Amino acid sequence: MRLRPVRPAGWWCDGLLLAALVALTVALTTGHLFGLDRAVADWSAAHRPTAARWVAMAFNLLGQGTPLTLLAAGLGVLLAWRVRSVRAVLPPVTAFVLTFFTIGPLKVWTARPAPSASVKEPFLPPEQTLPLFQHELPVRFAQSYPSGHVANAIVWYGVLALLLVPLLRSVGRTVPAGLVTVVRVVPPTAVFCTTVYLGWHWLTDSVAGLLLGLLLDRLLRRVPWNGLPLPARLGGWARPVDQLD
């Protein structure tokens, strides 16, 4: 079983993403970058008319983790039924496990409030909304870092792009390579920008979500879905899925 190639090739990029995430977390732990976060949040608040806010909220829905999970799972099941192979459900299941055991625990561990925590419950002083590791706060008020919207968008749109090609091929359709790139890039970009603009996350929260999402996406793209060993009792349902790798 050989890992699938990714671009850039090699593990150095994965190590760089992880190192950047660690470095960003350390910088925030020591009180750095707070001025940048505050400046971006204040600018966004001062340039957020009602119409722009509603548009941003609509685009931000593209990063909702639960609907994306259900959509990817649904496409995986549909593809599995069409090609008679359980391998089609492996990408969404693996993505769910990866995101469940990384994004949520990191949010709880870092315990950072969102920018809006100073203007709504728990009504913290503005300076107290910036630091990490505020474990004295209830968990629901300190889950801003890293941005789950951004990380989830990168992971789940990557899975959707992966499933889209073999699914359409199963009905005699082809997917232009450019469309796959659009699916992978455009929604996460929109989620990154709108999450910061709406004041739902600090800029560094979204950067951390970007780094984590890209790291998880690279791990998923390496998996040889058609080469994974499956129980012999599955019989024909363990057959490879065309274009899944």
Side-chain angles (χ1 to χ4, degrees):
M1 185 177 62
R2 300 180 60 183
L3 297 179
R4 297 165 59 208
V6 295
R7 291 185 297 174
W11 291 92
W12 65 268
C13 186
D14 305 70
L16 187 61
L17 290 169
L18 180 58
L21 179 59
V22 172
L24 178 60
T25 305
V26 171
L28 292 170
T29 301
T30 55
H32 293 83
L33 302 177
F34 288 175
L36 175 62
D37 275 339
R38 175 57 66 190
V40 172
D42 290 346
W43 183 93
S44 298
H47 297 81
R48 196 187 300 141
T50 301
R53 178 175 176 270
W54 281 104
V55 171
M57 289 175 64
F59 277 104
N60 195 258
L61 293 175
L62 294 170
Q64 292 290 330
T66 299
L68 287 174
T69 302
L70 294 175
L71 177 59
L75 289 184
V77 170
L78 177 60
L79 178 59
W81 177 78
R82 291 197 58 83
V83 301
R84 300 297 191 271
S85 175
V86 299
R87 293 186 183 276
V89 301
L90 297 180
V93 169
T94 307
F96 174 79
V97 172
L98 272 180
T99 54
F100 183 83
F101 285 103
T102 54
I103 299 174
L106 278 174
K107 284 176 167 291
V108 174
W109 176 61
T110 54
R112 190 188 200 189
S116 58
S118 63
V119 295
K120 63 181 184 181
E121 199 176 6
F123 298 104
L124 301 174
E127 64 275 7
Q128 192 183 339
T129 58
L130 286 158
L132 277 65
F133 305 115
Q134 299 193 52
H135 295 289
E136 70 278 3
L137 295 174
V139 172
R140 68 183 186 277
F141 296 137
Q143 296 189 55
S144 187
Y145 182 92
S147 168
H149 273 64
V150 175
N152 274 313
I154 294 172
V155 170
W156 287 112
Y157 282 103
V159 172
L160 291 174
L162 176 68
L163 295 173
L164 187 62
V165 175
L167 181 59
L168 291 183
R169 187 180 180 88
S170 72
V171 294
R173 304 281 184 174
T174 59
V175 180
L179 178 59
V180 174
T181 301
V182 168
V183 171
R184 283 185 169 275
V185 174
V186 173
T189 301
V191 171
F192 182 101
C193 295
T194 56
T195 297
V196 176
Y197 178 69
L198 290 167
W200 292 351
H201 280 284
W202 302 105
L203 174 63
T204 51
D205 296 342
S206 290
V207 172
L210 174 68
L211 296 170
L212 179 59
L214 290 174
L215 177 60
L216 297 179
D217 179 66
R218 284 178 62 85
L219 294 177
L220 287 168
R221 295 178 74 172
R222 278 191 167 90
V223 178
W225 304 110
N226 283 328
L228 293 177
L230 294 177
R233 63 176 177 272
L234 289 175
W237 280 85
R239 64 171 56 90
V241 178
D242 189 27
Q243 297 294 312
L244 189 60
D245 283 345

